[in-house]
Amino acid sequence: MAPVRKKVAILGGGTGAMAAAFGLTETPDWQDKYDITVYQLGWRLGGKGASGRNAKHQYRIEEHGLHVWAGFYDNAFRLMRQCYGKLARPPGHPLATVWDAFKPHSNVTLTDRTNGGWYLFNFDLPIDPDDFPGDGGVLPSVWAYVRMVLEWAGNLFRREMDQHAAGASHAGWIRVMVTAARSIYYSATGGVTTVIDEVATEVRVEAQHWLHPALHALLGVTQALPDDPHQHRAGEHHNVVGLLRGFKTDLDAYHDESGADNYSRMIWAMLDLAVTTVKGILEDGVLFHGFFSIDHWEWMDWLRRHGASETTLKSAVVKGTYDYIFGFENGDANRPSVGAGTCTHGLLRLGFTFKGAVFWEMQAGMGDTVFAPLYQWLSSQGVQFKFFHETEHLGLSADGKNVETIRLVKQVHLRDPNPEVEYKPLISVQDLPCWPSEPLYDQIDEKEAKELQEKGINLESPWADWHPLDAVTLTRGTDFDLIILGISVGALAPICTELYGKGKAQLTPTEQRWKNQIEKVQTVPTLAMQLWLTPTAAGLGWKYADRQETILTSFSDPLNTWGDMSHLLPREVWPAGRVPGSAAYFCGPLNDPAGGVPPFSDHGFPGRELAKVVETSVDFLNKDIAALWPNAFDPAAAQFKWDLLDDPAGGTGPARLESQYFRANVSPSERYVVSLPGTYQYRLRADGSGYANLYLAGDWVYTSINAGCVEAAVMAGFMASRAICGYPTDIVGEPE
């Protein structure tokens, strides 16, 4: 007798959901064990990572924002390496291999607002051409991170000393280097040093002499201790903290001196942040209790508690961290907020566990690079995809132990009435499978397709003025056995009312956990602007145009992050003679409306928010962009040079923005999941829904990262698939 296949319903098509589907299909003979169907709102996969190709505008790439993968995304790269390997695209095919699809990126710029304007601090970070993410491995212990941070600080210290000893400027920086080195050496060795009251050019060689024994003294203490902090003696951490306090005393003394230049202040802030972080880890027992033991603290408050300077807390290094994770309550850039444990651990992962490069850039849109290959492979293996199916409600069984029903709304009817025919979602752009920016109307019922186009209906928006079509109810035991819920937490409140006991006076423990997660794990809206410009980055006056295309952050809010995405232009279809010189992607947080998010019956809400984004962008280009692109600003007219924007319609002034691309990511499933202090414990685990047949996937699920990113989503998806089928057995960074 043939085994009965379990029917698995995957709700949502984001990163976590696709990772879970992929994991299930890695089970040997999975087709004999599982019948997998993905139910997805609208016409494409991707969630917050979805992108589209606009056939009306040169098949240009249109993203939700700026997407760059970090080099520590071991699980996410494992997923993509396996997917590309299985697809086995032929040589010469666009994005034939995973390393054609992802390229290392090392150029990052921070911006710091000063009295004299904006100061740009560019990092050319290392690239190891023989190292690739996705190979797995064991993450460092907390004590290993302590060593790494101190070694990094020592290398920075030594590099600056060597540069200045060789004749560089910044005499004030020489002074702090010497005094701090002297302080560390004295504290570590008990020796007596020659007091250097004045440091000038003639004593630079002596300054360098003092540096190396001082560094060896501090690093020697930490390197000599065992990896297991439980084997350390009681006073040893106290001694290390004492050394750090001595170093920090001299750093603070230098900070209090007048005349510090922008460069020295940035280096000083990085050292202050490193020293303060290690002090906090040691003083708060993170070595023994883990990073989340301090997550009830807001990150800046935690740093301040351990002695960080207010200048450091206002620096580009700190601001850039919040910008990177959209870490603002309600999207308000004036209210930065992230848990100290989540943020500290995330920074250590980003800075010390990357492989190959700190960042990896996709060589097409995220939809083209990630979700098209996943769709191609999974559908070829027999996974069914039901597009245009919006999840409305999950209903519980009579005993409350299982999800008994899934109520869906079928958004459109396909033109082919055969129920066995699936919507074919991909198009080919220069031989690369891609997602269109709109549904493929020729596959949709003709009358419905015409109405959708005439009204400009966005089927991905719950505010769309679109009449509901067929209600579809799936029943446990008939249509599904197991569910993987991959819809973002921001959209779950109306779907999961029974799961969190809405309206009940007395909640069960499971209902209370669901209520806590939906209420406590917050999301924020974001905004994005994409520009296609005639000049190259160099022509715009970008200072570092001679280096790798940049990623810049900590700039003027709310469009505080910019990526030069000009490398994507060859993937688009531009007419001869009109190929732009550059493509610029900006993104940042978007404020929630003062009166709160309106009900879905307010069909005009997305349009108003989009208009707000465009208005903000006009103001940004007129007032702020000159700091990055001086050649794009007309000082006589005191405004942006609008004619630099590609516009086939020939508009004038700000009207040329109508040919560019803007997004207000306000839909519940598009909002960014943030990590507010004291909220990590409310996240449910992938296998901890409390309902026997329900598993969870997405960056809102409990992982060791607990922050909005691709890696967290893949980890959760893999944990969901493993709970069902046992694959994968190992997940890098898996929480205890």
Side-chain angles (χ1 to χ4, degrees), residues 196-461:
I196 303 174
D197 295 320
E198 299 294 336
V199 178
T201 303
E202 59 269 23
V203 299
R204 284 175 180 154
V205 174
E206 188 172 2
Q208 191 177 25
H209 169 75
W210 280 112
L211 173 68
H212 296 290
L215 287 173
H216 287 306
L218 179 61
L219 295 173
V221 173
T222 54
Q223 293 291 347
L225 293 175
D227 290 338
D228 183 358
H230 292 89
Q231 298 179 26
H232 300 174
R233 291 192 294 271
E236 288 171 330
H237 295 169
H238 177 75
N239 291 339
V240 174
V241 170
L243 301 181
L244 293 169
R245 285 175 178 163
F247 188 10
K248 186 162 169 42
T249 296
D250 286 307
L251 287 174
D252 291 345
Y254 169 68
H255 166 254
D256 291 338
E257 295 179 4
S258 61
D261 57 57
N262 293 327
Y263 176 87
S264 298
R265 186 169 55 251
M266 183 73 78
I267 297 293
W268 175 84
M270 289 191 289
L271 283 170
D272 186 43
L273 180 61
V275 170
T276 304
T277 297
V278 173
K279 279 180 75 270
I281 287 172
L282 296 176
E283 291 176 337
D284 282 357
V286 175
L287 288 171
F288 305 101
H289 305 297
F291 289 104
F292 292 127
S293 65
I294 59 170
D295 212 56
H296 57 288
W297 286 95
E298 202 288 313
W299 183 48
M300 278 198 290
D301 290 341
W302 181 76
L303 290 171
R304 186 180 290 113
R305 177 169 170 260
H306 290 285
S309 164
E310 289 301 313
T311 300
T312 297
L313 299 180
K314 295 175 183 176
S315 71
V317 181
V318 170
K319 183 182 185 304
T321 300
Y322 286 94
D323 293 348
Y324 180 52
I325 57 174
F326 300 96
F328 307 98
E329 281 195 66
N330 300 117
D332 185 347
N334 295 312
R335 299 172 64 192
S337 185
V338 62
T342 298
C343 191
T344 301
H345 181 233
L347 283 175
L348 294 172
R349 288 293 311 273
L350 178 68
F352 296 104
T353 68
F354 67 83
K355 295 179 180 177
V358 67
F359 292 119
W360 290 75
E361 278 190 326
M362 290 171 282
Q363 301 304 296
M366 188 161 176
D368 316 333
T369 308
V370 176
F371 294 101
L374 285 168
Y375 168 78
Q376 284 185 296
W377 174 250
L378 292 172
S379 61
S380 74
Q381 297 304 294
V383 175
Q384 298 180 70
F385 287 84
K386 300 292 185 183
F387 292 96
F388 306 110
H389 281 70
E390 180 180 5
T391 303
E392 271 202 336
H393 185 260
L394 302 182
L396 294 179
S397 58
D399 60 8
K401 295 181 179 180
N402 287 276
V403 174
E404 188 72 13
T405 59
I406 304 170
R407 190 170 73 238
L408 304 159
V409 170
K410 194 172 182 179
Q411 295 178 293
V412 300
H413 297 109
L414 297 185
R415 192 163 299 193
D416 190 326
N418 185 346
E420 300 299 319
V421 173
E422 287 192 357
Y423 177 76
K424 304 299 182 185
L426 299 179
I427 60 175
S428 178
V429 180
Q430 300 189 116
D431 298 323
L432 182 67
C434 301
W435 302 89
S437 61
E438 295 181 339
L440 297 176
Y441 295 111
D442 60 353
Q443 296 183 51
I444 297 174
D445 175 85
E446 189 172 0
K447 181 180 178 182
E448 294 170 14
K450 182 180 179 181
E451 186 178 355
L452 287 168
Q453 293 177 84
E454 288 177 347
K455 291 185 175 180
I457 298 296
N458 178 8
L459 291 173
E460 293 178 333
S461 172

